[in-house]
Amino acid sequence: MQNRITQLFGIEYPIIQAGMVWASGWRLASAVSNAGGLGLLGAGSMYPEVLREHIHKCQQATQKPFGVNVPMLYPDIDKLMDIVVEMGVKIIFTSAGNPKTWTSFLKEKGITVVHVVSSLKFALKSQEAGVDAIVAEGFEAGGHNGRDETTTLTLIPSVKEKVTVPIIAAGGIATGRAMLATMILGADGVQIGSRFVASHEASSHDLFKQKVVDAKEGDTHLTLKELAPVRLIKNKFYQDVQLAYQNGASTEELKRLLGRARAKRGMFEGDMEEGELEIGQVSALIHDIKPAADIVSDLVREFELAKAEVANL
């Protein structure tokens, strides 16, 4: 399954495991890379020395390419970037910020740079900044998201029409059929988050993994746009946020409600009521927790079956 994405990263399949906070540690990233995809460490939930430890363990666990996702809205970005350069990481995904901030610095170090966007406007800015590829993420996605609520079905062909660098589709993709659909629309590969949360190797809490499996259609909602748009499972914390909106809460009041380490409390420590539970709409299609390698093989098998079906239409 060779194309521009597999060639860019030196991988077997154009499947990227998203670098998610509290889920994407070295066990998950190395497992996906060993299975033929590209595993990403999620640096957004890591202090600098924790990131150093995860990079080291990932380097020991796989001889295949892996990368690091660095959300630019978190503190200590300078320290994180210094560590990835120092430790020889060759692939960096940046997100939640201006692509011009770090792209030149990283490329000067010989690093392949990919930026995550939720709109055509920022896809063009990313290409102008010199990135090697773009993740175009529709608002179906979990975690931090776009304010404009552009769906993957609309975003991918819109970006494809205007940019020349490789495109990685994200948002609402958990099956081989969805992978094929986004590639027909113009993507060169896919980035998948929610499906890999429900894996044995994900570092998120088992209660959260089960919550993802139990989620049904309509159980998630994009909210907190005044701070940083995030798609949440509807639990007590989510209901508290909605009540705050009904009472006319200011941005500062929303910040106080969110507080510190709310996502860690939910996704990593397992507080299913007071924690922030970030996951995509596609959680409604996730029905089990399984090894990451099995997820990759399922995606490839479903992709090939769907491609054969399409050929017979």
Side-chain angles (χ1 to χ4, degrees), residues 76-146:
D76 291 327
I77 295 299
D78 291 13
K79 295 178 182 177
L80 297 179
M81 291 301 191
D82 287 343
I83 287 171
V84 298
V85 171
E86 173 195 336
M87 298 196 70
V89 177
K90 295 302 183 184
I91 301 168
I92 300 297
F93 281 49
T94 54
S95 59
N98 188 335
K100 292 183 179 180
T101 307
W102 287 101
T103 298
S104 295
F105 168 83
L106 293 170
K107 287 186 68 66
E108 287 170 4
K109 307 295 184 182
I111 294 172
T112 298
V113 181
V114 182
H115 193 67
V116 183
V117 303
S118 59
S119 68
L120 173 60
K121 174 184 175 181
F122 285 104
L124 292 171
K125 286 182 178 293
S126 299
Q127 180 170 262
E128 182 183 344
V131 301
D132 296 287
I134 292 167
V135 175
E137 184 176 76
F139 107 116
E140 300 97 322
H144 294 295
N145 215 314

Side-chain angles (χ1 to χ4, degrees), residues 73-284:
L73 53 75
Y74 291 97
D76 291 327
I77 295 299
D78 291 13
K79 295 178 182 177
L80 297 179
M81 291 301 191
D82 287 343
I83 287 171
V84 298
V85 171
E86 173 195 336
M87 298 196 70
V89 177
K90 295 302 183 184
I91 301 168
I92 300 297
F93 281 49
T94 54
S95 59
N98 188 335
K100 292 183 179 180
T101 307
W102 287 101
T103 298
S104 295
F105 168 83
L106 293 170
K107 287 186 68 66
E108 287 170 4
K109 307 295 184 182
I111 294 172
T112 298
V113 181
V114 182
H115 193 67
V116 183
V117 303
S118 59
S119 68
L120 173 60
K121 174 184 175 181
F122 285 104
L124 292 171
K125 286 182 178 293
S126 299
Q127 180 170 262
E128 182 183 344
V131 301
D132 296 287
I134 292 167
V135 175
E137 184 176 76
F139 107 116
E140 300 97 322
H144 294 295
N145 215 314
R147 287 182 170 83
D148 295 332
E149 302 191 7
T150 305
T151 65
T152 303
L153 189 70
T154 301
L155 181 61
I156 299 306
S158 176
V159 172
K160 179 65 174 178
E161 191 175 60
K162 298 293 184 180
V163 306
T164 58
V165 298
I167 300 167
I168 301 165
I173 304 166
T175 66
R177 287 181 177 276
M179 177 178 169
L180 177 62
T182 57
M183 293 178 75
I184 289 172
L185 289 172
D188 300 280
V190 293
Q191 177 175 282
I192 295 174
S194 299
R195 173 64 269 200
F196 284 113
V197 169
S199 69
H200 294 326
E201 295 88 349
S203 51
S204 42
H205 197 282
D206 286 346
L207 288 177
F208 178 50
K209 295 178 187 182
Q210 190 59 47
K211 193 79 168 178
V212 172
V213 170
D214 293 341
K216 302 294 188 296
E217 180 183 354
D219 282 352
T220 71
H221 182 235
L222 188 67
T223 188
L224 292 173
K225 289 187 178 182
E226 295 83 353
L227 306 182
V230 64
R231 180 172 294 282
L232 302 179
I233 289 178
K234 296 175 181 178
N235 63 350
K236 181 182 180 301
F237 168 65
Y238 167 83
Q239 298 300 339
D240 289 344
V241 170
Q242 300 314 299
L243 182 60
Y245 276 119
Q246 293 173 20
N247 293 332
S250 65
T251 300
E252 288 304 314
E253 288 170 328
L254 291 172
K255 285 181 180 178
R256 285 196 294 272
L257 176 60
L258 181 60
R260 289 180 57 82
R262 179 76 75 164
K264 179 182 181 182
R265 183 174 177 179
M267 295 183 285
F268 191 69
E269 296 177 348
D271 188 337
M272 295 297 98
E273 292 304 318
E274 297 292 347
E276 179 182 347
L277 307 178
E278 304 176 8
I279 205 70
Q281 282 184 331
V282 80
S283 53

